[in-house]
Structures are given as structure tokens and as C-alpha cells.
Amino acid sequence: MPRPVLVAALWGLVLVLGGCRRTDPAPRPPETPEAGASPTAAASSPGAILFVSADTQGYLGPCGCSENMRGGIARAAFQVSEARRGALPVHYVDGGNSLFGEKTLKPGQVPQEELKAKALADAMRMMGLSVRATGPLDDTRGAAFRQGLGLPEVADGAVKLLPAGPRKVGVVAADSPEQLVAASAKARSDGADFVLGLLDAPLEEAQKAAELPGLAVDVLVATRSASELSGEQNRLVKATVPVVAPQSKGRSLVRVDLSYAKAPGSFSLQKGQADLEREVAALEQRTALLDKEINLPGIDPKLKALKQGKRDELVARKQALVSAPPAASPDVNGFTVRFVPLESGLPSLPDAQALVARYDSEVGKLNLAWAKEHGQDCPAPAKGQAGFVGNEPCRSCHEESFPVWEKSKHHHAWETLEEVGKQHHLNCVGCHVTGWEQPDGVCRLDKVAGREDVGCESCHGPGSVHSEEPSADNIIASPGEALCVTCHNPENSPHFDFATYLPRILGPGHGKPLDAASPDKPADERKPAKP
């Protein structure tokens, strides 16, 4: 069965399991009587659904450097929109640290990052955002900029009550454990039946806060990752109070399903949660293995298509599990906590995808215009230090190395950006040109000519000194893994393996003897490659 047909069939299965789908999906605002919901229907609702995002760090979507990358605000918007097609009230909450990825920006970054934050805010509105907390990564351009986006916020230490059928959900935000305890107590006194806590702290700190006496939250979300790598996985710690930390950079949503008993009362984690987690974890492991195989350099296209089809099937099965209504008991006020990984095989909300496309189109023009008006050339290297000179000086002595490089993906790095219109995106360009923001390198988007692609100096270091006086001591003859992972990092190249990828850029004259392809020649007659 062709892959598009298989994906369509599997997604149809998901929709059957998760609820009927109507055509032309359109986002609806939060479910309140004022927004069009019948007060009678709301009062009799047997439960509610909460979606939570956090630690998005200014990501509208994945970079696209590898296949099957998770994430994207348009995929998140589809999940919320689909849930709103059901009968239950739905609220979308953002935990903060979402608008920007850094606390400080260079002047050249400001136009792009402000435009991206505005696009994220527009997408959140499209998703019917009920309320959001704020963190340091939301105030990169100041509180006035953040407030000017017009999103509904809950201040640290404050409470926001959300109508959820016959119950009320209290959302509390805090930047310290003590503040969280006080705010959760206030939420209960204000009439909240279920309390969602948003703590501006990493998972480990949130775990400690969850054990504090007097804490009155039902679920606690850690809204900030401790480091670049700590946000790579979804984390759920089940204790007296479940603590969750979604995968950073907009790669997953937290989904909390509430089910109501006939009478109000305290909520408890529903039975069957552990079984669900085990089944989802098993599917995730199998998907991860397939991802690694699909991204292997040089994989046979037919084998790759087969593996991709199997991966699509696993994603559909996992999506059915994380979006199907949980089993509920009419005698228990219960809840489940699930992660919704925003996999590449899942649909995007068309309106949200159009919003992202507009950003992609506008930001390149904006960055290029800024570079032409305000850009400055890279500084000259310090006295005695090497600078970047481009590929041509290398060619005069290492002509035999170029045929190997020209067949590699490094030679087409700039072209891959042009194909998707991202050659002027500051988040992307650094790993697709030679010498980005380094002495004698490229510091202006309008002056990239001659430095496109991952050239000789990207791996072997700046070559001005070596070109004037060739020596093995003033060049990196054999680059190691530490240099490669500056671009082939877990975010951009999550399946990178140095030993597997290295042979793809080596060959006769480039890391191997010139006549390495002719093993019948005596070894002492083979000409060694130049460093």
C-alpha cells in the first residue's frame, strides 16, 4: 500500500477511536456559556480536558534538518481543535517560558525574534488560549512587549478560575515553592475543584515542591528545563502530587482528562494510568529505533519507505492511545495525565500552518533588510590568529579532496535552506555557511556569497595561516566528534552517530589514499592523501 494511502487509513482509525471529525476544522474559543456553549449542557458535562504547553522557547516548529522531527505550533493547534469537536469543555493553558529562546538578544536577532513571538501569540489566540503563566524567557524584550501581545495571563502567586462544566479548574502560577503553596490554598478557597500548578522551575525543583505540606494542587507542571539536554524527554513523576515536565521547544503537549463523579470532591489519579504509560513507552521505543534507521546515511530508498510506513503505523497507534477518552467511574472524581508528542505524521491545523508559512516568508525579508541597513562585517582575526579565506585557497594544494566533498551533503548545505526558503533565517544559517560570526567569516546575511555550504574550514578550521605556510601544526587535519556535534547536536541531528556518519564524507584524496578504490595495487605504491 502506498505511504499516503496507509497514513490516511491509519489516521482514519485514530479519528474513529478519538471521536468523529467534521470537515474544515476551525478553532473555537475556550468552552464557556458566553462562547456559545449551552449552560445546561455545560452543567451536565461528565468531565473536561486540559491541554498544557510550556518551555516552548520561541519555537514555531522543528528546524527540519532531520526526518520525522517532533514539534510545531500548527500540530498542537490541530490537537486542541480536534478535542473541541467533542462534547467536553476544553481549556488550553500555557505554562510560560514560551515566547523567546534566550534571555538576551544581539541587535541583529531582535527583528526576527520579536516577529516570531508575535506569531506564537497569534497561534495561541487561534488555539483559544484560556490563560498563561510567564517566565524569564517571556520577558526577553521586556514586560511591556509581552503585555502588548494581549494574551490572558495569570501573575505569579495569583489564581485564575476556569469554568469546566459543573466544576471549576483553578490555574495557579508561581516562581517559588512557597508562593505555589499559598496560591494553591487561595485557589481552593476561591472554589476550585481541581488545581493545576505551574511552577517556573525545572523538574527536580518541582518534585521537591510537590512534597511541601499545605500544597493543594492536583497536578504540578515544571515549566522550565534545567539545561539544553534535560528538556529532550517527556517526564512524569508520580508521587502524592504528579509532577510533569513536557519535552521542550514545543515538541509535546500535556493532556489532562478530568472525569466527574455525581458529587464534587477530591480528585485522584485514575487506575489504568500505569498500563497506558507502559504501552505508550513501548511504542515510543519502537518509533525511536525506526527513526534512527530511517535517518541512516545512504539507506536504500525502498527500505526507507517500508520503515517509514511502519513508523506511521506506530504513530497512529500511539495517537489513538493518548487521545482516546479514558475509562471513568461515576463514583470517583478522577484524572489522567498523558503526553501528546507532536509527531511529524500528525496533521496540522491549516490556519495555524498558514500563520507559520507567513512568518517564514516575512522573517527572511526582514532579516535581509536589517543586514543591509545595519549589518557589520566580521572583525579581522587577532594578531597571529587565523582567519577564514574560503575554499579556493585550499583547492590549489588539495584539488584531489574536492571531488569527495562535492558529492557530500556538506556541499549542498546552503541549497537545502534555499529549497525551503530559510536561507535568511538566523536560527538556521549558522550551520549552513562557513565561518558564521567568526573572524573573517560571515556576519551579514547580505554577504554570504563565496561562503555558502559547509566548506573546508568548517571542519578543518580557519585557513589563512595554513594557506600561507602549510603545516600540520596550523590546521585541524582530522576533525573529531566534538567539532561535529556543534551542528549535529540532539536538536538538529538527533540520530547523529559519529562513527556512522564519518565515512560519508571521506574518500580517496579526502581522508583516504587517492587510489583507495584500487586494492589490487601494492600498498607501498599508493599515494597518501594530503592533510
Side-chain angles (χ1 to χ4, degrees), residues 294-305:
I294 289 167
N295 280 276
L296 280 174
I299 184 173
D300 178 80
K302 291 183 179 180
L303 178 60
K304 181 177 180 178

Side-chain angles (χ1 to χ4, degrees), residues 483-501:
L483 187 146
C484 300
V485 297
T486 57
C487 281
H488 290 282
N489 53 38
E491 177 189 341
N492 301 324
S493 189
H495 311 292
F496 176 74
D497 177 76
F498 181 70
T500 302
Y501 278 59

Side-chain angles (χ1 to χ4, degrees), residues 419-441:
E419 288 173 352
V420 293
K422 293 188 176 183
Q423 69 271 27
H424 297 135
H425 285 218
L426 296 175
N427 304 100
C428 304
V429 69
C431 287
H432 293 255
V433 300
T434 300
W436 178 249
E437 295 188 335
Q438 297 184 57
D440 276 352

Side-chain angles (χ1 to χ4, degrees), residues 11-278:
W11 186 243
L13 172 63
V14 173
L15 293 174
V16 168
L17 293 173
C20 295
R21 176 184 175 186
R22 295 198 296 262
T23 57
D24 300 322
R28 284 165 49 189
E31 192 74 45
T32 65
E34 292 79 7
S38 163
T40 303
S44 61
S45 173
I49 301 172
L50 311 176
F51 284 100
V52 186
S53 60
D55 204 24
T56 302
Q57 300 182 26
Y59 274 70
L60 282 170
C63 67
C65 295
S66 296
E67 296 193 51
N68 296 321
M69 298 182 80
R70 281 183 183 176
I73 196 70
R75 293 175 190 159
F78 182 87
Q79 296 298 317
V80 177
S81 177
E82 283 298 297
R84 287 210 170 102
R85 296 183 180 283
L88 299 181
V90 175
H91 284 289
Y92 165 50
V93 177
D94 181 62
N97 290 304
S98 294
L99 299 178
F100 297 94
E102 302 171 80
K103 293 182 182 178
T104 58
L105 301 174
K106 298 175 184 177
Q109 293 177 282
V110 171
Q112 170 176 298
E113 298 307 313
E114 287 191 347
L115 184 64
K116 195 192 305 180
K118 291 174 182 176
L120 275 167
D122 287 342
M124 288 179 178
R125 268 188 291 273
M126 187 179 292
M127 295 165 69
L129 178 70
S130 297
V131 70
R132 71 182 304 268
T134 62
L137 290 180
D138 297 306
D139 282 345
T140 296
R141 296 299 295 152
F145 175 87
R146 186 199 79 230
Q147 292 164 356
L149 297 175
L151 297 175
E153 296 181 348
V154 55
D156 287 334
V159 178
K160 174 68 175 181
L161 288 182
L162 304 177
R167 307 283 195 273
K168 292 180 181 178
V169 171
V171 178
V172 300
D175 62 4
S176 71
E178 295 74 20
Q179 193 178 59
L180 181 69
V181 171
S184 65
K186 184 177 187 306
R188 296 294 184 188
S189 66
D190 287 350
D193 298 279
F194 184 91
V195 178
L196 175 69
L198 307 172
L199 181 62
D200 180 28
L203 177 69
E204 291 71 18
E205 293 180 32
Q207 285 181 254
K208 296 177 182 177
E211 301 299 327
L212 290 176
L215 184 67
V217 303
D218 294 287
V219 173
L220 179 57
V221 180
T223 66
R224 173 162 49 93
S225 49
S227 66
E228 185 75 17
L229 292 178
S230 66
E232 288 299 309
Q233 301 293 329
N234 292 310
R235 303 279 300 278
L236 168 61
V237 179
K238 287 183 289 185
T240 306
V241 173
V243 182
V244 297
Q247 196 174 17
S248 64
K249 300 173 183 176
R251 289 175 283 185
S252 293
L253 290 171
V254 179
R255 174 171 170 153
V256 181
D257 285 78
L258 308 180
S259 61
Y260 304 151
K262 294 178 181 179
S266 60
F267 281 78
S268 59
L269 200 62
Q270 288 184 225
K271 294 179 180 179
Q273 170 92 26
D275 293 336
L276 174 66
E277 290 171 19
R278 281 191 292 270

Side-chain angles (χ1 to χ4, degrees), residues 370-371 374-378 443-444:
W370 193 96
H374 304 288
Q376 296 184 0
D377 293 330
C378 289
C443 288
R444 297 177 55 155

Side-chain angles (χ1 to χ4, degrees), residues 269-319:
L269 200 62
Q270 288 184 225
K271 294 179 180 179
Q273 170 92 26
D275 293 336
L276 174 66
E277 290 171 19
R278 281 191 292 270
E279 193 168 354
V280 170
L283 291 171
E284 293 241 335
Q285 289 176 355
R286 294 171 63 187
T287 303
L289 288 173
L290 284 169
D291 278 340
K292 190 170 184 178
E293 294 169 353
I294 289 167
N295 280 276
L296 280 174
I299 184 173
D300 178 80
K302 291 183 179 180
L303 178 60
K304 181 177 180 178
L306 287 172
K307 291 183 178 294
Q308 184 66 49
K310 182 61 178 177
R311 184 192 189 276
D312 292 338
E313 178 187 346
L314 295 178
V315 167
R317 287 171 59 187
K318 182 171 63 176
Q319 179 64 17

